[in-house]
Amino acid sequence: MIEAVLAQASIFKKIVEALKELISETNIDFSEAGISLQAMDSSHIALCNLLLRDDGFKSYRCDRALTLGVNLNSLSKLLKCAGNDDEMRIFANDDSGADQLNFSFESANSERVSEFSLKLMDIDADSVDIPDMDYQAIIDMSSSEFSRIIRDLSSVGEAVSIDATKQGVKFSSAGDAGKGSILLKHQKSVDGDSALATSIEINEPVSHSLALKFLSSFAKAAPLTDRVSIHMTEDVPVMFEFKISEIGHIRFYLAPQIDD
Amino acid sequence: AQAQGKIGEFFPLG
Protein backbone atom coordinates (compact mmCIF):
# COMPACT_ATOMS: atom_id res chain seq x y z
CA MET A 1 0.00 0.00 0.00
CA ILE A 2 1.21 3.47 -0.84
CA GLU A 3 -0.66 6.56 0.25
CA ALA A 4 0.49 10.17 0.06
CA VAL A 5 -1.60 13.16 1.04
CA LEU A 6 -0.77 16.66 -0.16
CA ALA A 7 -2.46 19.59 1.56
CA GLN A 8 -2.92 21.36 -1.78
CA ALA A 9 -3.40 19.70 -5.15
CA SER A 10 -2.02 22.82 -6.86
CA ILE A 11 1.60 21.80 -6.18
CA PHE A 12 1.19 18.47 -7.95
CA LYS A 13 -0.74 20.07 -10.80
CA LYS A 14 2.09 22.54 -11.36
CA ILE A 15 4.70 19.76 -11.23
CA VAL A 16 2.94 17.78 -13.95
CA GLU A 17 2.51 20.92 -16.08
CA ALA A 18 6.25 21.56 -15.67
CA LEU A 19 7.16 18.07 -16.91
CA LYS A 20 4.66 17.14 -19.58
CA GLU A 21 6.06 19.23 -22.43
CA LEU A 22 9.49 17.61 -22.05
CA ILE A 23 8.41 14.08 -21.15
CA SER A 24 5.36 12.15 -22.32
CA GLU A 25 5.70 8.97 -20.25
CA THR A 26 7.68 8.30 -17.09
CA ASN A 27 8.19 5.87 -14.27
CA ILE A 28 7.43 7.32 -10.83
CA ASP A 29 9.29 5.77 -7.90
CA PHE A 30 7.59 5.49 -4.54
CA SER A 31 9.81 4.64 -1.58
CA GLU A 32 9.95 5.20 2.17
CA ALA A 33 11.88 8.42 1.48
CA GLY A 34 9.19 9.88 -0.77
CA ILE A 35 8.26 10.18 -4.42
CA SER A 36 10.85 10.67 -7.15
CA LEU A 37 11.27 10.36 -10.86
CA GLN A 38 14.02 10.59 -13.39
CA ALA A 39 13.31 10.81 -17.11
CA MET A 40 14.93 11.95 -20.32
CA ASP A 41 13.24 13.65 -23.24
CA SER A 42 12.85 11.58 -26.39
CA SER A 43 16.11 12.91 -27.87
CA HIS A 44 18.09 12.13 -24.66
CA ILE A 45 19.45 15.68 -24.63
CA ALA A 46 17.62 16.77 -21.47
CA LEU A 47 17.09 14.98 -18.17
CA CYS A 48 14.57 15.73 -15.48
CA ASN A 49 14.81 14.75 -11.83
CA LEU A 50 11.93 15.28 -9.40
CA LEU A 51 12.10 14.69 -5.65
CA LEU A 52 9.21 15.01 -3.19
CA ARG A 53 10.36 14.07 0.32
CA ASP A 54 8.07 12.05 2.59
CA ASP A 55 8.09 14.74 5.30
CA GLY A 56 6.74 17.34 2.88
CA PHE A 57 3.43 15.50 2.65
CA LYS A 58 0.58 15.92 5.13
CA SER A 59 0.85 12.16 5.56
CA TYR A 60 2.92 9.57 3.74
CA ARG A 61 2.98 5.80 3.78
CA CYS A 62 4.89 3.38 1.59
CA ASP A 63 5.00 -0.24 2.76
CA ARG A 64 7.08 -1.44 -0.17
CA ALA A 65 9.01 0.45 -2.84
CA LEU A 66 7.07 0.60 -6.11
CA THR A 67 7.79 1.93 -9.59
CA LEU A 68 4.69 2.96 -11.50
CA GLY A 69 4.63 4.04 -15.15
CA VAL A 70 2.31 6.89 -16.12
CA ASN A 71 1.39 8.92 -19.19
CA LEU A 72 1.86 12.54 -18.14
CA ASN A 73 -0.66 13.90 -20.63
CA SER A 74 -3.35 11.63 -19.17
CA LEU A 75 -2.26 12.56 -15.64
CA SER A 76 -2.43 16.25 -16.52
CA LYS A 77 -6.01 15.84 -17.77
CA LEU A 78 -6.97 13.93 -14.64
CA LEU A 79 -5.48 16.61 -12.39
CA LYS A 80 -7.60 19.28 -14.08
CA CYS A 81 -10.45 17.67 -12.13
CA ALA A 82 -8.84 18.81 -8.86
CA GLY A 83 -9.41 22.23 -7.35
CA ASN A 84 -6.19 24.07 -6.55
CA ASP A 85 -6.99 24.16 -2.85
CA ASP A 86 -8.31 20.59 -2.69
CA GLU A 87 -6.48 18.15 -0.47
CA MET A 88 -5.09 15.45 -2.75
CA ARG A 89 -4.61 11.80 -1.82
CA ILE A 90 -2.59 9.49 -4.10
CA PHE A 91 -2.86 5.79 -3.36
CA ALA A 92 -2.17 2.41 -4.88
CA ASN A 93 -2.52 -1.11 -3.64
CA ASP A 94 0.32 -3.42 -4.56
CA ASP A 95 -1.14 -6.67 -3.20
CA SER A 96 -1.67 -8.13 -6.65
CA GLY A 97 0.57 -5.80 -8.63
CA ALA A 98 -0.69 -2.24 -9.02
CA ASP A 99 -2.39 -1.63 -12.35
CA GLN A 100 -3.80 1.78 -11.50
CA LEU A 101 -2.90 4.84 -9.51
CA ASN A 102 -5.78 6.34 -7.57
CA PHE A 103 -6.46 9.95 -6.71
CA SER A 104 -9.00 11.55 -4.44
CA PHE A 105 -9.60 15.28 -4.22
CA GLU A 106 -11.37 16.76 -1.21
CA SER A 107 -12.57 20.36 -1.17
CA ALA A 108 -11.46 22.67 1.65
CA ASN A 109 -14.83 22.43 3.39
CA SER A 110 -14.87 18.63 2.94
CA GLU A 111 -18.26 18.83 1.21
CA ARG A 112 -17.03 17.46 -2.10
CA VAL A 113 -14.86 14.40 -2.61
CA SER A 114 -13.99 13.17 -6.09
CA GLU A 115 -12.14 10.01 -7.01
CA PHE A 116 -10.26 9.24 -10.20
CA SER A 117 -7.86 6.52 -11.24
CA LEU A 118 -5.18 6.40 -13.87
CA LYS A 119 -4.25 3.24 -15.77
CA LEU A 120 -0.58 2.39 -15.34
CA MET A 121 1.77 1.32 -18.09
CA ASP A 122 5.01 -0.62 -18.39
CA ILE A 123 7.79 1.77 -19.32
CA ASP A 124 11.23 0.55 -20.21
CA ALA A 125 13.43 3.61 -19.75
CA ASP A 126 17.17 4.15 -19.41
CA SER A 127 18.25 5.72 -16.15
CA VAL A 128 21.55 7.41 -15.38
CA ASP A 129 23.61 8.03 -12.26
CA ILE A 130 23.75 11.76 -11.71
CA PRO A 131 27.12 12.51 -10.10
CA ASP A 132 27.46 15.00 -7.23
CA MET A 133 29.36 17.91 -8.65
CA ASP A 134 30.88 21.23 -7.62
CA TYR A 135 29.95 23.69 -10.32
CA GLN A 136 32.16 26.54 -11.55
CA ALA A 137 29.27 29.02 -11.45
CA ILE A 138 25.87 29.11 -9.77
CA ILE A 139 23.40 31.81 -10.82
CA ASP A 140 20.44 32.37 -8.49
CA MET A 141 17.71 34.45 -10.09
CA SER A 142 14.01 35.15 -10.26
CA SER A 143 12.15 32.35 -12.02
CA SER A 144 9.73 34.80 -13.65
CA GLU A 145 12.70 36.80 -14.96
CA PHE A 146 14.15 33.55 -16.33
CA SER A 147 10.86 32.80 -18.13
CA ARG A 148 10.73 36.30 -19.57
CA ILE A 149 14.31 36.15 -20.87
CA ILE A 150 13.73 32.77 -22.52
CA ARG A 151 10.51 34.04 -24.10
CA ASP A 152 12.13 37.29 -25.29
CA LEU A 153 15.19 35.60 -26.79
CA SER A 154 13.06 32.91 -28.47
CA SER A 155 11.72 35.69 -30.69
CA VAL A 156 15.27 36.33 -31.91
CA GLY A 157 17.02 32.98 -32.29
CA GLU A 158 17.03 29.26 -31.57
CA ALA A 159 19.98 29.11 -29.13
CA VAL A 160 20.96 31.19 -26.13
CA SER A 161 24.45 31.85 -24.93
CA ILE A 162 24.67 32.12 -21.13
CA ASP A 163 27.86 33.87 -20.04
CA ALA A 164 28.52 34.08 -16.30
CA THR A 165 31.19 36.30 -14.78
CA LYS A 166 31.69 37.82 -11.33
CA GLN A 167 29.94 40.99 -12.54
CA GLY A 168 26.80 39.36 -13.86
CA VAL A 169 25.19 36.96 -16.27
CA LYS A 170 24.46 37.73 -19.90
CA PHE A 171 21.89 35.89 -21.97
CA SER A 172 22.22 36.48 -25.70
CA SER A 173 20.81 35.09 -28.90
CA ALA A 174 21.18 35.78 -32.60
CA GLY A 175 19.16 34.81 -35.67
CA ASP A 176 18.61 35.69 -39.30
CA ALA A 177 16.62 38.80 -38.46
CA GLY A 178 18.83 40.22 -35.71
CA LYS A 179 20.15 39.65 -32.23
CA GLY A 180 19.43 40.47 -28.60
CA SER A 181 20.92 40.24 -25.14
CA ILE A 182 19.93 40.73 -21.52
CA LEU A 183 22.49 41.42 -18.81
CA LEU A 184 21.60 40.81 -15.16
CA LYS A 185 24.10 42.32 -12.75
CA HIS A 186 25.21 40.52 -9.63
CA GLN A 187 23.60 41.84 -6.41
CA LYS A 188 25.51 41.33 -3.19
CA SER A 189 22.55 40.17 -1.16
CA VAL A 190 19.24 38.71 -2.24
CA ASP A 191 16.76 39.93 0.36
CA GLY A 192 13.00 40.24 0.63
CA ASP A 193 12.96 43.66 -1.02
CA SER A 194 14.66 42.47 -4.17
CA ALA A 195 12.64 39.55 -5.45
CA LEU A 196 14.05 40.11 -8.91
CA ALA A 197 17.69 40.29 -7.76
CA THR A 198 20.32 38.00 -9.24
CA SER A 199 23.30 36.57 -7.37
CA ILE A 200 26.24 34.73 -8.84
CA GLU A 201 28.67 32.46 -7.02
CA ILE A 202 31.57 31.90 -9.32
CA ASN A 203 35.03 30.36 -9.37
CA GLU A 204 35.81 31.21 -12.97
CA PRO A 205 33.87 32.60 -15.93
CA VAL A 206 31.69 29.99 -17.66
CA SER A 207 29.84 30.08 -20.95
CA HIS A 208 27.33 27.69 -22.50
CA SER A 209 25.32 27.77 -25.70
CA LEU A 210 21.98 26.00 -25.26
CA ALA A 211 18.90 25.31 -27.38
CA LEU A 212 16.07 27.66 -26.36
CA LYS A 213 13.36 25.06 -26.98
CA PHE A 214 14.57 23.04 -23.98
CA LEU A 215 14.85 26.11 -21.77
CA SER A 216 11.28 27.05 -22.74
CA SER A 217 10.18 23.66 -21.42
CA PHE A 218 12.18 24.09 -18.21
CA ALA A 219 10.59 27.52 -17.68
CA LYS A 220 7.22 25.76 -17.29
CA ALA A 221 8.40 25.04 -13.72
CA ALA A 222 8.52 28.75 -12.87
CA PRO A 223 4.98 28.81 -11.36
CA LEU A 224 6.24 26.39 -8.68
CA THR A 225 8.71 28.78 -7.09
CA ASP A 226 10.03 32.36 -7.14
CA ARG A 227 13.64 31.38 -7.79
CA VAL A 228 15.67 29.25 -10.16
CA SER A 229 19.36 28.43 -9.86
CA ILE A 230 21.49 27.68 -12.90
CA HIS A 231 24.56 25.52 -12.23
CA MET A 232 27.28 25.64 -14.86
CA THR A 233 30.65 24.02 -15.51
CA GLU A 234 32.38 23.91 -18.88
CA ASP A 235 31.66 20.73 -20.87
CA VAL A 236 29.17 19.15 -18.47
CA PRO A 237 25.36 19.32 -18.52
CA VAL A 238 23.92 22.57 -17.18
CA MET A 239 21.57 22.06 -14.23
CA PHE A 240 18.49 24.21 -13.64
CA GLU A 241 17.04 23.76 -10.17
CA PHE A 242 13.55 24.83 -9.09
CA LYS A 243 13.08 24.24 -5.35
CA ILE A 244 9.57 23.30 -4.31
CA SER A 245 9.02 24.82 -0.88
CA GLU A 246 9.18 22.45 2.09
CA ILE A 247 9.00 19.32 -0.04
CA GLY A 248 11.68 18.95 -2.71
CA HIS A 249 12.82 20.07 -6.13
CA ILE A 250 12.69 19.69 -9.87
CA ARG A 251 16.09 19.66 -11.55
CA PHE A 252 16.57 19.79 -15.30
CA TYR A 253 19.89 18.89 -16.92
CA LEU A 254 20.73 19.93 -20.46
CA ALA A 255 23.65 18.33 -22.31
CA PRO A 256 26.11 20.85 -23.75
CA GLN A 257 27.35 21.03 -27.30
CA ILE A 258 30.47 18.98 -27.97
CA ASP A 259 33.25 19.20 -30.53
CA ASP A 260 32.51 17.01 -33.52
CA ALA B 1 32.33 22.11 -35.59
CA GLN B 2 30.07 21.56 -32.61
CA ALA B 3 27.28 19.04 -32.20
CA GLN B 4 24.58 18.70 -29.57
CA GLY B 5 25.68 16.25 -26.86
CA LYS B 6 23.46 13.62 -25.22
CA ILE B 7 22.98 13.05 -21.51
CA GLY B 8 24.41 9.52 -21.76
CA GLU B 9 27.74 10.92 -22.94
CA PHE B 10 28.16 12.75 -19.62
CA PHE B 11 26.36 10.68 -16.98
CA PRO B 12 26.92 6.91 -16.68
CA LEU B 13 23.93 4.71 -17.41
CA GLY B 14 22.47 3.41 -14.15
Side-chain angles (χ1 to χ4, degrees), chain A residues 22-41:
Chain A
L22 193 67
I23 294 151
S24 55
E25 296 169 352
T26 183
N27 282 320
I28 302 179
D29 297 313
F30 295 81
S31 75
E32 273 183 27
I35 298 175
S36 63
L37 74 81
Q38 185 202 92
M40 280 188 269
D41 77 299

Side-chain angles (χ1 to χ4, degrees), chain A residues 43-45 127-129 131 235 255-260, chain B:
Chain A
S43 61
H44 288 200
I45 293 168
S127 70
V128 297
D129 291 326
D235 301 323
Q257 297 192 330
I258 51 175
D259 291 329
D260 240 350
Chain B
Q2 292 223 306
Q4 174 63 56
K6 305 236 176 187
I7 290 291
E9 295 169 63
F10 299 93
F11 295 160
L13 285 175

Side-chain angles (χ1 to χ4, degrees), chain A residues 64-77:
Chain A
R64 190 167 69 85
L66 268 185
T67 296
L68 306 179
V70 298
N71 177 299
L72 286 175
N73 203 32
S74 305
L75 179 55
S76 165
K77 285 181 186 165

Side-chain angles (χ1 to χ4, degrees), chain A residues 9-23:
Chain A
S10 59
I11 291 178
F12 203 70
K13 289 165 73 124
K14 288 177 188 171
I15 289 169
V16 173
E17 291 309 298
L19 300 178
K20 74 169 190 182
E21 187 172 292
L22 193 67
I23 294 151

